[in-house]
Amino acid sequence: MTYAIDIQQLHKTYANGHVALKDVSFTVQEGDFFALLGPNGAGKSTLISILTSLCQKTSGQIKIFGFDQETQSQQAKSCIGVVSQELNFNPYDNVIDIVVNQAGYYGIGRAQAKPLALHYLEQLGLASKANKPAIALSGGMKRRVMIAKALVHQPKLLILDEPTAGVDIELRRSLWDFLSEINAQGTTIVLTTHYLEEAESLCRNIAIINNGEILENTSMSALLQTMHKEAFIFYTKLPLLVAPALSARFHVSLLDSHSFEVLVDQRDNLNSIFSELTSLGIVINSMRNKTNRLEALFLDLIKTA
Ligand code: ADP
């Protein structure tokens, strides 16, 4: 079977001796929408830079649609469109020129590239900006120019490094819709993110990376099924000396004299907690859901690693 991406035992040690990737292996199927999820410093950008030949690996093997990224680098590169985190065009150039010039790097002439560029600019809601210098565009629009630029040579694989970092919610939604649409039309998409919600909304499969190592590589639905504990913090009206003695299935810990934390299985409900607290005579002033699901997930994975 030919994978869109096949990474085997990838290792990266930077010149200063820092080991950013340790024996990373995973595959991405053709047509997949795949998330590479991990906290800052996990090694996501390093991995993307190696995939797109911006950075040299130390060892390991990478194939892109069957092309060896080292020995068949031109073929491998032509399969990939990449949207990096930083803007990588001259902001004084007109938007249409930025996109058309990019096609030139893949041997596509201006006459052929222009309708393609206009097509993607249109799809990304930038048609009216085509003849404006990029510097006149908002941050969100510049990011969309990056996407049009990455797509103009019609790559089979689109890689996006933190596509919605710093992007407002409305634009995030429209970018998600756009990416889902081009994925449905056959483009394989890989994105890096540190938002679990982003991965959850878009992606079918996921690899979780931390500290240069893949902790988990599974389907999104299988992963979500494993995440069933939620933490709630309760704030009491009167001071407490010890944690309330709730049933053993609730894990309770006292945080300070006026608050305690309860770990609740998502299949359970909160009514029973409240009735137990009421019978203990504890008055709750307020509560909040503490769980940062991603954090909880990492803790779980690291514990079992
Ligand atoms: P992420 O994209 O997940 O935030 P990075 O791939 O940027 O992670 O970084 C992974 C690790 O490698 C971090 O500890 C980072 O400080 C380190 N790193 C990144 N680039 C370099 C470099 N050029 N030289 C040395 N260390 C680096």
Side-chain angles (χ1 to χ4, degrees), residues 115-272:
L116 282 171
L118 286 170
H119 166 75
Y120 287 113
L121 290 175
E122 165 99 51
Q123 277 206 321
L124 285 154
L126 290 171
S128 65
K129 309 288 177 192
N131 293 307
K132 299 224 160 22
I135 198 165
L137 271 53
S138 69
M141 287 177 184
K142 288 189 188 112
R143 207 170 270 263
R144 280 180 276 162
V145 172
M146 300 267 290
I147 298 177
K149 186 173 169 246
L151 285 171
V152 70
H153 68 288
Q154 300 184 290
K156 288 157 74 175
L157 169 64
L158 181 66
I159 300 179
L160 303 108
D161 197 1
E162 302 271 353
T164 56
V167 164
D168 65 58
I169 287 176
E170 203 178 327
L171 178 59
R172 187 176 300 178
R173 286 273 156 211
S174 72
L175 272 184
W176 285 6
D177 289 346
F178 175 75
L179 294 176
S180 299
E181 200 177 306
I182 60 168
N183 176 247
Q185 288 162 8
T187 307
T188 308
I189 301 185
V190 172
L191 56 82
T192 73
T193 182
H194 54 261
Y195 300 119
L196 183 62
E197 285 65 27
E198 184 156 81
E200 190 177 345
S201 304
L202 291 171
C203 301
R204 282 188 289 282
N205 289 297
I206 183 166
I208 297 178
I209 184 167
N210 187 44
N211 222 350
E213 287 176 292
I214 300 289
L215 297 179
E216 183 72 277
N217 179 14
T218 181
S219 71
M220 203 64 228
S221 56
L223 182 76
L224 293 175
Q225 275 170 19
T226 66
M227 301 168 63
H228 50 250
K229 291 264 187 221
E230 275 195 278
F232 291 91
I233 298 182
F234 293 81
Y235 297 91
T236 60
K237 185 167 186 213
L238 299 171
L240 295 168
L241 292 175
V242 290
L246 299 182
S247 310
R249 70 177 194 281
F250 301 117
H251 296 272
V252 190
S253 43
L254 193 65
L255 299 177
D256 60 37
S257 62
H258 280 84
S259 67
F260 59 94
E261 183 180 318
V262 184
L263 261 187
V264 186
D265 192 302
Q266 278 179 358
R267 288 163 294 198
D268 219 315
N269 65 62
L270 298 179
N271 291 33
S272 33

Side-chain angles (χ1 to χ4, degrees), residues 14 16 18 20 39-46:
Y14 279 109
N16 65 359
H18 182 80
N40 282 330
K44 304 181 297 296
S45 298
T46 302

Side-chain angles (χ1 to χ4, degrees), residues 91-123:
Y92 297 99
D93 284 348
N94 281 352
V95 169
I96 184 77
D97 293 330
I98 290 170
V99 182
V100 167
N101 290 344
Q102 177 71 12
Y105 292 114
Y106 296 89
I108 304 170
R110 287 192 79 79
Q112 198 190 340
K114 200 160 176 191
L116 282 171
L118 286 170
H119 166 75
Y120 287 113
L121 290 175
E122 165 99 51
Q123 277 206 321

